[in-house]
Amino acid sequence: MRVGLLTGGGDCPGLNAAIRAVVKHGEGTYGHSIIGFRNGWKGVVDGDVLPLGREHIRNVLPVGGTLLGTARYHPNEENGGIDAVMATLEAERIEALICIGGDGTLHAASKVAEAGVRIVAIPKTIDNDVEGTDLSIGFHTAVNIATEAIDRVHTTAESHNRVMVVEVMGRHAGWIAVNAGIAGGAELVLAPEEPFDIDQVVKFLKHRHRAHANFSIVVVAEGAMPREGGSMDYTTQLGKYGEIVAGAIGERVAAEIAKRTGFDTRVTILGHVQRGGSPTPTDRILGSRFGVAAMDAISSGTTSVMTALRGERIELVPLAEIAGRVKHVPADLLRAAQVLS
């Protein structure tokens, strides 16, 4: 078969491992031709193709990003987008498509599948908020990066008697904030799942500094929000494409803490550093397993599914069950972050 392959949405470490697995398994085991599309769904619409062979995937396992490029473009949201996708797939004689992406890319995949295209999806996002899978490609590396940053911030915070606010990614779900906060020993974690009360934050910090410490670490997810009716008014700051403005909530929380406590307070915004660099072995292995499973599914005629990690097993879940849904941090994990402060 001629199998199309794309990576969409934000980049993350581990994508090249998945691409490598699709190409090696597809060519070596099944004799398929793998046709890559540059820059996600935009490349499908534009017909921007890159036939992939073994020469393209040598030495890519330790490399972050994606050799295919990526873009935040969803054909189901553009006039004529689905029709353009169908035209390109027909012109390139693509018999099936493997889509690697987060919630937006996979939602678009479900719409293209409804139009009659044979699709298998692979979940990737550092936010880990794709429903149906325990882990998505990129999350493990991002948590490692955030945890190391918190570890480093600890020493300078203690040396200068400061409150350090560390902002991490996580628009709709606080997976990075909660996991890195626990692993890095943060005093407070503010996640989108539970709106925070700035008065309680200030009360806690004052008590901590008065009782037994002269510094604190506060981890804030970019999508964290103060509770309605509280003493902090805030509207999420969005960019021109609807993305959250990096640093907006972190800077505001730090300003409120400084004003209300008088403590020397600084902000560290990790931003896109969480997406970069070499993937951890966990993400390389996960990407590889997902790539193999996706190619097996395509080759067996199974479509409109997503590869998912469930416990120790790779399973296939229907796209219709997960498209457009967000996987939030469970209450017990949020509670662990709270009680360990």
Side-chain angles (χ1 to χ4, degrees), residues 61-321:
L61 273 177
V63 180
T66 164
L67 65 88
L68 284 175
T70 187
R72 297 186 186 279
Y73 177 91
H74 306 135
N76 52 304
E77 297 176 358
E78 304 291 333
N79 289 331
I82 299 293
D83 290 339
V85 166
M86 302 298 287
T88 295
L89 296 181
E90 182 178 359
E92 294 294 332
R93 295 177 288 112
I94 301 298
E95 299 170 69
L97 192 59
I98 296 176
C99 305
I100 310 174
D103 55 353
T105 301
L106 301 190
H107 184 58
S110 71
K111 296 300 181 183
V112 174
E114 289 174 5
V117 178
R118 298 168 61 188
I119 285 183
V120 173
I122 295 176
K124 69 87 214 162
T125 169
I126 67 168
D127 291 342
N128 201 41
D129 60 357
V130 173
E131 183 64 73
T133 181
D134 293 348
L135 284 179
S136 294
I137 298 170
F139 172 66
H140 190 266
T141 303
V143 170
N144 276 20
I145 292 168
T147 300
E148 181 181 355
I150 295 168
D151 288 344
R152 292 177 180 275
V153 163
H154 260 288
T155 56
T156 187
E158 189 167 7
S159 296
H160 290 274
N161 303 333
R162 286 174 175 155
V163 175
M164 300 294 289
V165 176
V166 181
E167 183 184 297
V168 299
M169 286 185 170
R171 176 170 184 171
H172 300 296
W175 287 97
I176 296 177
V178 171
N179 281 273
I182 292 173
E187 278 65 58
L188 287 170
V189 176
L190 309 182
E193 284 82 358
E194 293 187 353
F196 62 89
D197 185 336
I198 193 64
D199 293 324
Q200 291 299 315
V201 169
V202 168
K203 181 180 178 181
F204 171 85
L205 293 174
K206 284 182 175 179
H207 172 75
R208 170 179 160 82
H209 286 226
R210 181 171 59 247
H212 57 83
N214 60 5
F215 75 99
S216 295
I217 309 295
V218 180
V219 176
V220 184
E222 63 182 355
M225 286 287 293
R227 69 173 179 83
E228 292 185 12
S231 62
M232 175 180 163
D233 292 326
Y234 179 78
T235 300
T236 301
Q237 305 299 300
L238 301 179
K240 62 184 295 186
Y241 299 110
E243 76 282 8
I244 290 182
V245 175
I249 187 63
E251 294 281 2
R252 179 62 186 279
V253 167
E256 293 289 336
I257 291 172
K259 180 176 68 175
R260 295 169 187 242
T261 65
F263 299 152
D264 186 9
T265 307
R266 304 296 174 90
V267 184
T268 298
I269 302 161
L270 296 188
H272 287 80
V273 93
Q274 296 160 93
R275 294 190 183 281
S278 184
T280 62
T282 295
D283 273 326
R284 300 182 199 192
I285 294 166
L286 183 65
S288 298
R289 293 180 73 189
F290 279 167
V292 168
M295 184 51 68
D296 283 341
I298 285 287
S299 302
S300 68
T302 304
T303 61
S304 297
V305 295
M306 180 190 78
T307 62
L309 180 68
R310 300 271 182 93
E312 296 299 320
R313 296 174 56 84
I314 303 297
E315 300 181 3
L316 301 176
V317 298
L319 270 177
E321 289 184 8

Side-chain angles (χ1 to χ4, degrees), residues 3-9 15-16 19 34-53 55-56 66-75 85 88-89 92 94 97-100 105:
V3 180
L5 176 64
L6 66 89
T7 56
L15 288 172
N16 287 325
I19 293 170
I34 312 303
I35 310 300
F37 289 97
R38 295 184 178 92
N39 303 319
W41 286 112
K42 189 70 167 62
V44 183
V45 168
D46 294 341
D48 189 356
V49 301
L50 173 66
L52 293 171
E55 68 274 14
H56 297 97
T66 164
L67 65 88
L68 284 175
T70 187
R72 297 186 186 279
Y73 177 91
H74 306 135
V85 166
T88 295
L89 296 181
E92 294 294 332
I94 301 298
L97 192 59
I98 296 176
C99 305
I100 310 174
T105 301

